[in-house]
Amino acid sequence: MTRVGFLGLGTMGLAMANNLVMSGHPVLAWNRSQAPLLKFLEAGGEAAESAKDALSQSISFSMLANDNVHDVVLAAENLTAGTIHIGMASISPEKGRELSQRFLEAGAKYVSAPVLGRPNVAEAGELNILAGGDESAIAQALPLLEAMGSRIWNISSQPATANLVKIAVNYNILHAIQAIAESVALVERNGVSGKAFVELLTSTLFSSVVYKGYGAQIADREYQPVMFSMELGKKDLQLAMDSAAESQLEMPTAHVLMELMNAAIADPTLANQDWAAMAQITLKPDS
């Protein structure tokens, strides 16, 4: 079995790395903090001495929080010629292009493969994985990707395009959260149970995972545990707005969503909740 490197053992990364171990692959992991690494060792993983150690494997993965962390971890001096690296976090298309060039200059290959799914989906190995990059590199990594996901979507030969598609998906989810919030607020103001309304939505025209999951959270006003933080939601919203500006595209609702997100982050009772708590800015008068 292929020995792989893995960088970034946050809630998502730890679940994904554990699935690689459970599929029989030796995994050499690096993380900035020690506690998640200890959990990974208990699950049968190995600890890398450095980020470079993990990146030196023939195939390595990363699940890092943002563009800045990628710059520190995936620095040019840590790269090894002849290797493949697969970045699985939500980053900007600009950073995807930069990383692709950085690896190319080092004689290595870079694939962007952001994922769709929350931590429970990652734990079950049922993520949807959006792959962009060199087709041969994706093919070589396919058995590993399949250990983490239920479907691998081959998006483009350009890594940055996969990053753009992931941002567009999260932008859609934000609209769903706000649409549910406004609809629930409307019916509750007129004496209809929000829970009953969400059941109606999700049993008829809106039976998707997003409406079922976020609809229940919003109707119940229950935003713990945090599956996706408010700050990460704001980051992805800003990435969508930046990408739209780069594409000379006007997205009229984006600024409204950003106002709502900023209001939620400014509220100490909401800031540390799941990003679905943005709904409370609309629901608050009746909460």
Side-chain angles (χ1 to χ4, degrees), residues 139-162:
Q140 192 172 337
L142 191 59
L144 298 161
L145 294 170
E146 289 174 339
M148 296 181 280
S150 60
R151 181 166 179 179
I152 317 304
W153 298 79
N154 200 328
I155 299 296
S156 171
S157 61
Q158 300 301 315
T161 305

Side-chain angles (χ1 to χ4, degrees), residues 7 10 22 43 58 66 88 95 100 131 140 167 195 203 241 252-253 279-280 283:
L7 301 97
M22 287 189 288
S58 60
N66 54 47
M88 306 192 76
K95 183 57 61 178
S100 182
Q140 192 172 337
I167 291 164
K195 292 182 182 180
S203 298
M241 294 172 74
T253 58
Q280 285 302 114
L283 294 168

Side-chain angles (χ1 to χ4, degrees), residues 255-277:
H255 298 282
V256 176
L257 290 171
M258 184 61 80
E259 288 178 9
L260 293 163
M261 182 67 75
N262 283 334
I265 289 173
D267 186 329
T269 67
L270 301 178
N272 296 317
Q273 306 284 341
D274 188 86
W275 71 329

Side-chain angles (χ1 to χ4, degrees), residues 7 30 32 51-52 55 62 64 68-75 78-79 102:
L7 301 97
W30 176 90
R32 288 182 296 171
K52 183 173 184 176
L55 282 165
S62 60
L64 303 166
N68 292 334
V69 177
H70 281 77
D71 281 338
V72 174
V73 176
L74 305 183
N78 287 338
L79 308 186
R102 186 183 300 175

Side-chain angles (χ1 to χ4, degrees), residues 190-223:
N190 289 276
V192 177
S193 161
K195 292 182 182 180
F197 177 74
V198 167
E199 183 180 1
L200 170 65
L201 280 181
T202 57
S203 298
T204 55
L205 303 180
F206 297 90
S207 60
S208 70
V209 171
V210 167
Y211 267 76
K212 287 181 177 179
Y214 289 109
Q217 283 185 276
I218 292 166
D220 293 337
R221 273 68 162 177
E222 181 55 64
Y223 308 110

